[in-house]
Amino acid sequence: DEGTIMIKLGQEEPIVSMDSSGKVVWAKNHEIQLTKILKGKTYTTVSDGEQLQLSSDDLGSCEFYPSYLKHNKNGQLIAVCGDGEYTIYTALRLKHKSFGEGSDFAWSTISNGSSIYATKQSSSKIKIYKNFKEFKTIRTSYTIQKIFGGYLLGVKSGDDIYFYSWDTGICIRRIEVVPNNVYWSSEGTTVAIVCNDNFYVLRYNEDIVDKYITNNISIEEHGIETAFDLEQDINEVVTSGCYSGEVFVYTNSSQRLNYYIGGQVITLVHLDRVFYVLGYIQKANRVYLIDKRYCIVSYELLRYVLAYQAAIVRDDLRTANMLIEKKKIDNKHFNKLAQFLEGQGHKELALKVSNDPEHQFELALSLKKLNLAKQILLKSPSAQKWKQLADLALAECDFITVEEAAKNANDLSLLYLLYTST
């Protein structure tokens, strides 16, 4: 017996990309296919977790075996990379726009970045292209392992990630983490850096960076110290994700579909198998996922709920209140919003929004609103809660409420203490 050798071919995660209008392009071996999620009106009646019945059109074939496929910022182009080559096509007709050598590829997402991209030429050389013409060359003193697209060009080494400006090729910041993936918000204000065991959410300070570049201020080797602020470090293994506005939607290794906003992680659903995030479409109010067999499912995620939460994070209470007053959000979502508000420290607002008596009671106690807590208990009495109210009233020296609450809780020891002390 000379032993057995096992060779793994391909990858679990499908090679696929979706643009903001719901057009999905994927690679199956050498074939490139297109399907449209929002075709017709069926997307408005689909249930959560239901597999979408979609037909796909053959766009053509690729000369090499693709390992990467991604739309550009405006969705009009797709880049396919593999076997040390890349080709850029039009997204709907698969017409050649450009091609060349490159073992990795990354699109820019800056405001004018629809035709700006980078390719990894060697272990120490990256080329940046603008309108399909070579624009900048970055040579590194470290070994390049991978490059990431986004608002800044991310370059991964064995020990760090470096972020470079697309316009100048200057190193903006070196961060001592080794990421598997990097996800930028569309406005370039936040970035999620995904590592093996956790992910970091950083806020990008573009104004500070612009001052350094505009005024020709000397930038140290590790970049600008204040270019990023750490917003949160979350111990979750992210398997796929995308940004919608300031909301980071992702799947994790526990097969949960979550989203992160304002320091809080909210679980949307527990998945029954491994899925990967395709993207979020506001028009449909749904987040779309795909599995390794190219089956697509979706789950509801209301844009007005996200808009409300984003407004709260920005301390834009006027916009948040307007969404409630204009009834943009159904009452059935109020309890989740109340829990979010409590997590953000807005307990008074959470009390107004919540329609769950138990949560209302907890909020009233934490705000020391004894009369309101009592009114809630009169509608849905509970001996245990009467006892909680009696204890708080005693601490607040409200002896009338102590007596009433203790009687309703049948707390004889507290009544004995009250009567022998007053």
Side-chain angles (χ1 to χ4, degrees):
D1 182 6
E2 296 181 2
T4 303
I5 297 175
M6 181 179 289
I7 300 173
K8 183 179 178 180
L9 300 174
Q11 59 189 56
E12 287 287 301
E13 187 171 353
I15 301 162
V16 62
S17 178
M18 182 175 80
D19 70 7
S20 59
S21 65
K23 296 182 183 70
V24 180
V25 178
W26 59 52
K28 291 184 176 179
N29 298 320
H30 290 270
E31 302 302 315
I32 310 294
Q33 297 178 329
L34 167 72
T35 188
K36 297 177 182 178
I37 284 176
L38 302 188
K39 192 174 183 180
K41 291 292 181 182
T42 54
Y43 71 89
T44 59
T45 57
V46 69
S47 301
D48 283 356
E50 178 186 346
Q51 183 177 331
L52 305 187
Q53 302 302 314
L54 302 168
S55 59
S56 60
D57 299 323
D58 289 326
L59 293 181
S61 60
C62 185
E63 294 176 0
F64 49 82
Y65 191 90
S67 59
Y68 169 98
L69 186 152
K70 186 76 174 175
H71 282 91
N72 71 335
K73 181 180 172 67
N74 63 18
Q76 294 179 3
L77 301 172
I78 57 169
V80 184
C81 186
D83 295 340
E85 300 178 46
Y86 74 89
T87 304
I88 298 174
Y89 302 97
T90 58
L92 294 180
R93 296 281 180 252
L94 211 67
K95 291 183 179 178
H96 281 72
K97 296 292 289 185
S98 185
F99 65 93
E101 294 182 358
S103 57
D104 206 357
F105 187 100
W107 284 111
S108 167
T109 60
I110 59 176
S111 57
N112 61 342
S114 294
S115 60
I116 299 176
Y117 57 93
T119 62
K120 176 187 169 188
Q121 297 291 306
S122 69
S123 60
S124 60
K125 182 180 176 183
I126 295 168
K127 285 186 178 180
I128 299 176
Y129 295 82
K130 197 171 187 178
N131 296 322
F132 312 110
K133 295 179 181 178
E134 188 177 329
F135 175 60
K136 293 278 183 185
T137 299
I138 298 173
R139 297 184 183 276
T140 66
S141 59
Y142 54 86
T143 301
I144 301 168
Q145 293 191 350
K146 187 172 176 57
I147 62 175
F148 303 100
Y151 206 74
L152 295 176
L153 171 61
V155 182
K156 172 184 172 182
S157 72
D159 303 304
D160 317 278
I161 180 169
Y162 296 77
F163 286 105
Y164 292 87
S165 165
W166 288 101
D167 291 326
T168 63
I170 294 171
C171 178
I172 301 300
R173 188 76 170 94
R174 174 174 66 88
I175 299 174
E176 294 177 356
V177 296
V178 184
N180 298 323
N181 222 323
V182 174
Y183 301 96
W184 281 88
S185 64
S186 56
E187 299 299 319
T189 52
T190 55
V191 59
I193 300 178
V194 173
C195 301
N196 284 332
D197 302 315
N198 63 335
F199 71 96
Y200 303 91
V201 179
L202 307 180
R203 190 156 290 279
Y204 177 50
N205 301 315
E206 188 173 16
D207 291 344
I208 293 173
V209 173
D210 285 346
K211 284 179 183 177
Y212 271 80
I213 294 173
T214 304
N215 299 321
N216 291 320
I217 300 172
S218 176
I219 298 175
E220 297 179 17
E221 186 181 353
H222 64 271
I224 303 166
E225 190 77 36
T226 52
F228 291 95
D229 292 325
L230 176 64
E231 185 175 297
Q232 199 78 335
D233 173 6
I234 297 172
N235 289 318
E236 277 197 78
V237 180
V238 173
T239 52
S240 65
C242 74
Y243 261 96
S244 174
E246 294 301 298
V247 180
F248 180 49
V249 183
Y250 65 94
T251 54
N252 66 14
S253 57
S254 302
Q255 295 181 21
R256 292 181 185 179
L257 175 62
N258 295 342
Y259 70 92
Y260 166 93
I261 182 170
Q264 291 190 57
V265 172
I266 299 165
T267 298
L268 272 177
V269 69
H270 295 259
L271 303 167
D272 59 0
R273 61 185 187 275
V274 176
F275 279 97
Y276 304 92
V277 175
L278 266 179
Y280 174 72
I281 300 179
Q282 286 192 354
K283 178 183 176 182
N285 284 309
R286 304 190 77 81
V287 56
Y288 292 88
L289 311 175
I290 190 168
D291 68 7
K292 64 181 181 180
R293 294 184 176 85
Y294 295 84
C295 300
I296 297 176
V297 300
S298 66
Y299 292 91
E300 185 181 59
L301 182 55
L302 297 178
R303 65 180 182 274
Y304 287 125
V305 169
L306 296 182
Y308 182 92
Q309 292 173 329
I312 293 296
V313 170
R314 295 193 308 268
D315 284 328
D316 185 1
L317 299 182
R318 181 176 170 274
T319 298
N321 291 333
M322 186 177 68
L323 289 168
I324 296 291
E325 289 167 5
K326 291 191 174 182
K327 298 183 178 179
K328 295 290 187 181
I329 302 172
D330 196 277
N331 286 0
K332 67 181 181 180
H333 301 289
F334 279 13
N335 290 334
K336 284 188 175 181
L337 289 182
Q339 290 168 359
F340 174 78
L341 287 165
E342 185 182 9
Q344 293 292 312
H346 295 283
K347 291 185 178 181
E348 290 274 5
L349 195 53
L351 188 56
K352 291 179 183 177
V353 170
S354 178
N355 50 29
D356 175 16
E358 288 200 11
H359 194 209
Q360 287 175 338
F361 177 74
E362 290 171 8
L363 289 167
L365 282 189
S366 65
L367 293 167
K368 297 181 180 178
K369 294 180 178 287
L370 301 181
N371 286 332
L372 179 58
K374 185 167 69 174
Q375 295 304 317
I376 294 167
L377 284 182
L378 289 172
K379 294 178 183 177
S380 52
S382 160
Q384 182 185 358
K385 288 185 173 60
W386 279 116
K387 177 71 170 68
Q388 288 178 266
L389 178 58
D391 290 341
L392 178 61
L394 184 62
E396 294 295 304
C397 299
D398 183 349
F399 299 119
I400 295 173
T401 302
V402 172
E403 182 178 13
E404 183 181 355
K407 284 180 178 178
N408 284 315
N410 197 26
D411 189 344
L412 300 179
S413 60
L414 183 54
L415 286 170
Y416 178 77
L417 175 65
L418 178 66
Y419 292 149
T420 55
S421 303
T422 55

